[in-house]
Amino acid sequence: MLVLDAGNALFKSRDSGEAPDAKARAELLLSQMDAQGTAAMAVGTRDLVLGVDLLKKGTKKAKLKLLSVNLVDAQGKPYFPGSMVADVGGVKVGVVGVSPATTGPEPAAPSVKGKPTPMLKGLPVEPAVAAEVKRLRAQEKVDVVVVLAAVPYDDALRVAERVEGVDFVVQSHEGRGQGMAQRGAMATVIPPGDRGRQLAKLELRLDGPGRFVDVSEQERMRQSLGIVESNLAKAKERLAAATDPTTKQSLEQAVSSLEARRTALKKGVDGGATHSARTHLLSYIQLGSDVPGDPAVQKLVERVEPPGSAAH
């Protein structure tokens, strides 16, 4: 198992840094992510509210790796590693983190009177990811590449459509919540859930080379095929009983359309029946009241958000 976070996890919004509990809350989240075995997190806009130094200090002795392939300082030096490689049951997984591109330099920390403010810049997303993925494939010989994309959804889609060598793009930025895996020309976009309320679970099977096939997509096609076949049978019954020329013509068109749809779905289902060397299955674990909390962690949370407070 490999636990990853797509970023934008530490602050509720870009304007929440002035809250009295903001720093303690972010530090608690970083420490608990590390304690719970999170291997890597992308650095998103809502992780930079109190600056780069908070992130670096909060993970200095942690196993948790903060990743950003495109965040650089005023001299063009990266603030964080661009990627990491994890061995998961003998499978080499390359993980790339990417942050939003910026139109120009931005403060890398809150301003302090009398001190110069360090700056950061987010380089263009696609070329930065493409270069790092190419390096991972060529030098590290990874089996799977996951991009933790703490970027707007459109940028994540472009990575999935255009960047060769990527298998999965796990996107965060707008808080879109859970959803379906979306297949692009090169990779599949995975919604990771929102604000710790869901845990996305992506199960992979690797029996050889090739693209990953979505197991749930095959099941959805089978269900759709059953519905189409039922509707087709009803349309044929109505056509056989119809006497009005206009009605018959309309039903004939409906039958023709349903038959074409059935043919397309059967082709997809039959293709899925062939053994795929690589498959993925996305599901979600809802972290509601039915999932028991850890009493020790609850005490730590209550130090930051006391019971009865507005934030609790």
Side-chain angles (χ1 to χ4, degrees), residues 37-302:
T38 307
M41 181 183 89
V43 178
T45 301
R46 283 184 279 134
D47 302 315
L48 290 164
V49 171
L50 291 182
V52 170
D53 284 348
L54 173 71
L55 303 181
K56 286 182 168 290
K57 290 176 182 177
T59 54
K60 188 174 182 180
K61 298 180 180 180
K63 293 181 180 179
L64 167 66
K65 303 297 182 186
L66 298 181
L67 304 178
S68 178
V69 75
N70 64 327
L71 276 186
V72 299
D73 63 15
Q75 288 73 45
K77 181 181 178 181
Y79 273 111
F80 302 96
S83 67
M84 64 166 288
V85 177
D87 188 303
V88 188
V91 176
K92 291 182 73 174
V93 181
V95 183
V96 179
V98 63
S99 308
T102 62
T103 55
E106 297 182 354
S111 60
V112 178
K113 189 176 181 179
K115 292 186 178 181
T117 301
M119 305 300 287
L120 64 76
K121 183 176 182 180
L123 302 175
V125 170
E126 278 183 61
V129 172
E132 189 63 12
V133 171
K134 186 176 181 180
R135 187 193 70 80
L136 287 170
R137 291 288 188 184
Q139 297 180 19
E140 302 290 346
K141 307 298 182 184
V142 296
D143 302 301
V144 179
V145 172
V146 178
V147 175
L148 301 178
V151 300
Y153 190 64
D154 287 347
D155 288 338
L157 287 180
R158 280 190 282 269
V159 170
E161 287 291 335
R162 302 175 185 176
V163 179
E164 188 175 355
V166 178
D167 294 301
F168 299 100
V169 179
V170 188
Q171 186 266 344
S172 81
H173 187 73
E174 304 92 345
R176 300 174 69 88
Q178 69 186 70
M180 292 170 55
Q182 183 173 345
R183 183 169 178 170
M186 297 293 175
T188 299
V189 179
I190 302 296
D194 180 35
R195 296 177 60 188
R197 292 178 291 197
Q198 304 95 16
L199 183 68
K201 180 181 179 182
L202 186 66
E203 299 174 73
L204 306 182
R205 188 186 73 194
L206 293 89
D207 293 338
R211 286 203 62 176
F212 282 91
V213 173
D214 187 348
V215 175
S216 63
E217 186 178 3
Q218 295 295 322
E219 182 56 32
R220 288 194 298 272
M221 280 195 291
R222 288 189 186 92
Q223 292 174 355
S224 296
L225 178 59
I227 294 170
V228 167
E229 287 180 333
S230 175
N231 290 338
L232 179 59
K234 292 176 183 177
K236 286 182 175 180
E237 287 178 6
R238 292 179 60 193
L239 176 60
T243 56
D244 179 67
T246 303
T247 302
K248 289 183 69 174
Q249 183 179 13
S250 176
L251 287 169
E252 285 170 352
Q253 291 174 349
V255 167
S256 178
S257 176
L258 286 167
E259 285 178 338
R261 177 62 176 155
R262 181 181 63 177
T263 299
L265 285 169
K266 286 191 71 174
K267 185 177 179 180
V269 169
D270 292 342
T274 305
H275 175 74
S276 298
R278 293 186 167 200
T279 64
H280 70 82
L281 177 64
L282 175 66
S283 60
Y284 291 89
I285 300 171
Q286 295 295 326
L287 301 178
S289 58
D290 56 328
V291 178
D294 185 313
V297 175
Q298 185 64 33
K299 288 181 180 179
L300 295 174
V301 171
E302 289 176 355

